[in-house]
Amino acid sequence: MRDPLLRSIRLLGVRPRPVARSLALGAGASISALALAALSAWLITRAWQMPPVLALSIAVTSVRALGISRAVLRYLERLATHDLALDAMATARSRMFRALATGDAAHPLSVKRSEIVGRAGDDVDEIGNALVRGLVPIGAAAVTGVTAIVVMTLVSPWAGLATAVAWLLVAVLAPWAAAAGTERSEADDRAARGELLDITATLLWHAPELAVAGRRDQLLADARAAAHRATAAADRGIRVQAWAAGVLPAATGAVAVIACLLAVGLSGQVDATTLGVLILLPLSAFEAAGGLLDAARQLQRSRGAARRVLALLDGTGVDTTADASPIAPVDRRAVMPSGADLVVDRLRWGHPATSARGPVDGWSSIAAGERIAVVGASGSGKTALLLTLAGLLAPRAGEVRVSGAATPAQVVRYFGEDAHLFATSVRENLLVSRGDADDAEITAALASVGLQGWIAGLPEGLDTVLDAGVDAVSAGQRRRLLLARVLVNTAPVVLLDEPCEHLDRDESDRLHRELLDPRSGLVDPRRTVIVATHTLPDDTAADRVIDLDRLIRCTGSDPGVTSAVHEEGGGLQLNDIWTREVTIS
């Protein structure tokens, strides 16, 4: 099944019965409109003959019934179709998030945040719209078109042929031309909007750094330019659509003229009511075709959205066409080893689009319980190194393995500096790190990072909901909450990326010392702790300090190196924005 739109239908989990119900209601509404036109034409010509009123009573009642049924069936069709689409989109998003959460852990890290947001938001909506604005209108139009052709053929074979040709134009050729003509404009529009989304995300997430670097105005100008390009692309598509939309009234008028000419030739052979149906029916025979242009364009947009969504999900390695099976609860404390040794064999690391870093001289193993600090300038590869050690980024050369049968992904946990705080309770924000942690463990972890006073002042303690997520706390409180997740977790190897960022110097130094000292009690001494940071106090008990600017192995006993302290001056490396760093040794 190569067509991405057909593949995405499986992702939506669409069942045949709701689809058939929506199609039946849509077709019923269209046929009611067609029958209303035919019966009205008969009634007009029959009334012109001035028969007894009772001879028209059934027809008058039927006209009223068809008028009511048309509106009722259309309303029910909208309800059924939107219920189908909303259920399908909810299923698709559920399966998407499950795949991203349970599939290859490295895959989401290789995708931009804005891309994931766009796929789960607008693109899934576009796929759902294929049902509402594509499948059901096309099905209803197909039934109506066949019915109209059959009726016109019964009145006059030539009229039936003219109707069939017109339907071919308005239902096949015009939509195809409109979809093909707007494909390029849709691609340009998507590219411009994607660029706009990236710029918007950068402005939202890095506003302070951009303001300091003087780049905010430039990015705002780039955003306006991208918006103008998106508008221009949309205008080009609308021009093509306008020409295609003109086919419908032209075809309707042509069939009406042909029907009138045929009626003249048949005037002496058939009765007046038949001629009335022949002349007036073409005016309503193509009513259902009015939405086919929109349906074709929607299918084109939905196909592109499906292609992007499936490209995102294919990298997870998870079957997204099946519902999640129940997962038996597992006591992670029972299955997680208390310690693990990592073997680092001539490791070189880095993101695929960047140059490889490493190897680090003399670094061949990481013993269980070891404390290691990784320092270096922005862009030196600290985060990439941690991701590689965690098994979330493939090594550029060499390998990382765990002594024994386990893999890095099973025993190593990476805690990023930009981890998310959810708009839920304080307790739930820590349980995402380990779901079976009890209140005593959570409270102890919060106290260890200096949040006991803050928790005590909350109206509902651990049950207090952070309504605004990250905006509900200060930058320092956010950092401490993220650090508390590390303490709650029981993984034998933890990798911390900038764990003390946004804390004042004294508190940052204290936490760094305790994280890197197995005797402090902050982290179980049997667990391995690796910290990547810009600022490191000069009196830590770290077993090793690895300066990526120099790529040398440093130990606490090396007389030439006492610390690697980095002084920040910019913060974010973005285009030509560089963090000014000075290494003091």
Side-chain angles (χ1 to χ4, degrees):
M1 192 178 297
R2 296 182 178 180
D3 188 282
L5 188 55
L6 295 179
R7 286 183 60 199
S8 68
I9 296 299
R10 298 178 60 191
L11 172 67
L12 295 173
V14 176
R15 299 182 300 276
R17 182 174 295 180
V19 175
R21 180 170 60 247
S22 298
L23 287 173
L25 291 170
S30 297
I31 290 177
S32 293
L34 186 65
L36 177 61
L39 186 58
S40 298
W42 183 91
L43 183 60
I44 291 171
T45 52
R46 187 73 180 97
W48 170 73
Q49 297 173 346
M50 292 185 294
V53 175
L54 291 178
L56 304 177
S57 59
I58 295 178
V60 172
T61 304
S62 298
V63 167
R64 291 177 178 175
L66 288 172
I68 295 172
S69 65
R70 173 190 178 187
V72 171
L73 289 174
R74 181 67 67 193
Y75 176 71
L76 294 176
E77 178 264 324
R78 294 296 175 85
L79 290 179
T81 304
H82 281 79
D83 180 68
L84 167 66
L86 291 174
D87 181 68
M89 287 187 287
T91 300
R93 288 192 174 99
S94 175
R95 291 176 173 180
M96 175 184 292
F97 291 132
R98 177 172 59 86
L100 291 172
T102 62
D104 182 4
H107 179 63
L109 296 174
S110 65
V111 182
K112 295 179 180 178
R113 294 181 183 180
S114 58
E115 186 176 342
I116 295 177
V117 172
R119 301 301 168 263
D122 292 342
D123 284 343
V124 171
D125 285 345
E126 290 291 0
I127 297 175
N129 286 336
L131 299 173
V132 179
R133 302 176 182 175
L135 178 62
V136 173
I138 289 174
V143 173
T144 306
V146 171
T147 304
I149 292 171
V150 170
V151 172
M152 293 295 285
T153 302
L154 292 175
V155 176
S156 168
W158 289 107
L161 178 61
T163 305
V165 172
W167 265 99
L168 179 64
L169 291 173
V170 302
V172 179
L173 295 181
W176 174 82
T182 56
E183 182 177 3
R184 177 59 183 274
S185 64
E186 292 283 350
D188 293 343
D189 180 61
R190 285 194 303 270
R193 292 186 183 277
E195 180 182 350
L196 180 60
L197 184 59
D198 287 341
I199 295 173
T200 302
T202 302
L203 287 168
L204 289 175
W205 291 330
H206 302 295
E209 295 94 332
L210 291 168
V212 171
R215 289 295 310 280
R216 185 172 58 184
D217 292 340
Q218 179 60 45
L219 284 184
L220 288 173
D222 292 343
R224 286 192 292 270
H228 289 322
R229 289 197 298 273
T231 302
D235 289 342
R236 290 196 301 271
I238 290 174
R239 284 194 293 269
V240 174
Q241 296 162 18
W243 282 103
V247 175
L248 177 59
T252 303
V255 174
V257 171
I258 293 173
C260 291
L261 295 176
L262 291 172
V264 173
L266 296 173
S267 59
Q269 304 175 30
V270 297
D271 57 46
T273 55
T274 302
L275 293 177
V277 173
L278 176 63
I279 294 172
L280 297 179
L281 187 60
L283 299 178
S284 298
F286 301 97
E287 180 180 342
L292 292 181
L293 286 179
D294 289 335
R297 292 193 294 267
Q298 182 59 58
L299 291 181
Q300 186 71 26
R301 290 193 295 269
S302 299
R303 183 171 288 105
R307 188 178 295 109
R308 294 189 294 274
V309 169
L310 293 175
L312 172 66
L313 296 181
D314 287 344
T316 64
V318 175
D319 180 12
T320 56
T321 63
D323 293 324
S325 55
I327 301 176
V330 177
D331 186 355
R332 297 189 180 275
R333 287 172 293 186
V335 300
M336 185 76 73
S338 58
D341 295 336
L342 288 181
V343 178
V344 183
D345 186 8
R346 301 297 296 173
L347 178 66
R348 289 176 63 84
W349 66 91
H351 292 281
T354 63
S355 59
R357 304 280 182 170
V360 177
D361 294 337
W363 194 25
S364 60
S365 65
I366 302 174
E370 192 169 357
R371 299 300 196 264
I372 300 175
V374 180
V375 297
S378 294
S380 61
K382 299 188 300 297
T383 299
L385 173 59
L386 265 57
L387 291 173
T388 305
L389 293 175
L392 300 176
L393 190 65
R396 300 289 291 274
E399 65 174 338
V400 178
R401 63 181 184 273
V402 179
S403 58
T407 65
Q410 293 173 319
V411 300
V412 181
R413 294 294 179 267
Y414 168 76
F415 294 87
E417 63 174 318
D418 55 354
H420 187 66
L421 282 185
F422 299 92
T424 183
S425 68
V426 176
R427 177 188 290 105
E428 294 295 331
N429 265 293
L430 266 65
L431 289 179
V432 297
S433 180
R434 202 189 92 219
D436 59 357
D438 56 35
D439 284 0
E441 293 173 304
I442 292 174
T443 302
L446 292 170
S448 297
V449 297
L451 287 179
Q452 65 272 29
W454 178 68
I455 290 294
L458 293 177
E460 299 181 44
L462 295 178
D463 293 319
T464 302
V465 175
L466 305 178
D467 293 318
V470 66
D471 294 329
V473 296
S474 67
Q477 290 167 340
R478 172 182 178 274
R479 178 54 56 192
R480 294 173 192 269
L481 284 171
L482 296 179
L483 186 55
R485 286 180 181 173
V486 179
L487 305 183
V488 168
N489 196 278
T490 57
V493 182
V494 291
L495 314 177
L496 313 181
D497 195 358
E498 299 291 350
C500 303
E501 188 181 21
H502 299 301
L503 299 180
D504 63 73
R505 176 55 64 89
D506 291 341
E507 190 65 8
S508 173
D509 289 349
R510 179 187 72 83
L511 288 173
H512 274 126
R513 293 188 188 98
E514 294 184 5
L515 285 170
L516 295 171
D517 186 353
R519 298 163 299 179
S520 68
L522 184 63
V523 182
D524 190 318
R526 294 172 297 178
R527 302 173 68 190
T528 302
V529 178
I530 302 178
V531 176
T533 181
H534 283 296
T535 57
L536 188 67
D538 56 7
D539 56 349
T540 68
D543 299 296
R544 279 185 269 192
V545 177
I546 299 174
D547 188 340
L548 295 185
D549 291 332
R550 301 178 179 180
L551 283 181
I552 60 173
R553 177 179 180 270
C554 310
T555 67
S557 60
D558 286 343
V561 179
T562 58
S563 66
V565 182
H566 293 271
E567 181 178 285
E568 296 185 79
L572 173 70
Q573 178 181 335
L574 182 69
N575 297 331
D576 59 343
I577 304 174
W578 293 89
T579 299
R580 179 181 63 83
E581 306 210 1
V582 180
T583 302
I584 304 172
S585 57

